Amino acid sequence: MQVTINVNGEDRSADVEARHLLVRFLRDDLGLTGTHWGCDTSNCGTCVVLMDGEPVKSCTVLAAMAAGHEVRTVEGLEGPDGLDPVQQGFIEKHGLQCGFCTPGMMMTARALLDRNPDPSEDEIREAISGQLCRCTGYLNIVRAVQWAAQHPAEAEQAPAQTAGSAA
Ligand code: FES
Ligand code: FES
């Protein structure tokens, strides 16, 4: 079946099987490997993208279910004026080690800050509670999100480094 999804502001199409997962559509059909796939049990959350602004685990969404919707991946976080504050926060606060969980963490953080620009530590921890990090102990991830909340426009001035978009 032909599926068209608006990904990072651009309509992208592919001919896929009905069982094709959104994470596979993004990684295999579009080459957007910033969205990671870390488990077969819907537990790890490294595959989180935003669908119509809401975080979803892209390994639990069929590509066909996302047809006609707006999907935003980690590749779409950086704007024309620079890094998203969430990306800059992960750099400033060393919010990653191996980086495998980072794309999903950053997309969840972006969604949280979009609906709640000044979240408490408990609200940040609740927002990322569906995602696993095997490296950081979560503390620096929380600090990174707090930095982003405190510097909503700061990243636009920062040098263009990219956090968390590796394959
Ligand atoms: Fe682990 Fe989606 S890949 S929850
Ligand atoms: Fe390695 Fe989170 S930084 S899993």
Side-chain angles (χ1 to χ4, degrees), residues 48-57 70-72 107-108 111-112 114-115:
V48 167
V49 299
L50 304 188
M51 190 158 88
D52 299 331
E54 292 296 322
V56 297
K57 291 179 174 176
E70 294 185 359
V71 169
R72 191 176 181 197
M107 298 315 291
T108 296
L112 171 65
D114 284 348
R115 70 173 186 274

Side-chain angles (χ1 to χ4, degrees), residues 8 39 55 65 92 159:
N8 298 329
C39 70
M65 293 165 63
E92 298 289 340

Side-chain angles (χ1 to χ4, degrees), residues 20-153:
H20 204 54
L21 296 172
L22 177 59
V23 66
R24 284 300 186 197
F25 179 88
L26 296 170
R27 289 181 58 86
D28 299 345
D29 299 311
L30 304 189
L32 296 175
T33 54
T35 300
H36 293 168
W37 190 358
C39 70
D40 288 318
T41 53
S42 304
N43 282 325
C44 76
T46 194
C47 63
V48 167
V49 299
L50 304 188
M51 190 158 88
D52 299 331
E54 292 296 322
V56 297
K57 291 179 174 176
S58 60
C59 73
T60 66
V61 177
L62 296 171
M65 293 165 63
H69 292 271
E70 294 185 359
V71 169
R72 191 176 181 197
T73 72
V74 70
E75 289 90 346
L77 261 188
E78 184 176 352
D81 298 323
L83 295 179
D84 187 281
V86 170
Q87 292 174 301
Q88 193 64 35
F90 272 72
I91 293 170
E92 298 289 340
K93 296 300 178 183
H94 196 58
L96 65 149
Q97 291 181 30
C98 80
F100 195 73
C101 71
T102 310
M105 289 290 186
M106 292 200 301
M107 298 315 291
T108 296
R110 179 72 270 147
L112 171 65
L113 295 177
D114 284 348
R115 70 173 186 274
N116 179 2
D118 187 24
S120 66
E121 178 173 343
D122 284 350
E123 288 170 329
I124 295 170
R125 289 184 179 275
E126 183 177 355
I128 63 171
S129 62
Q131 292 164 258
L132 299 176
C133 176
R134 301 296 297 271
C135 304
T136 65
Y138 301 96
L139 182 57
N140 282 4
I141 293 174
V142 171
R143 287 175 174 159
V145 180
Q146 290 172 325
W147 187 97
Q150 291 159 4
H151 304 81

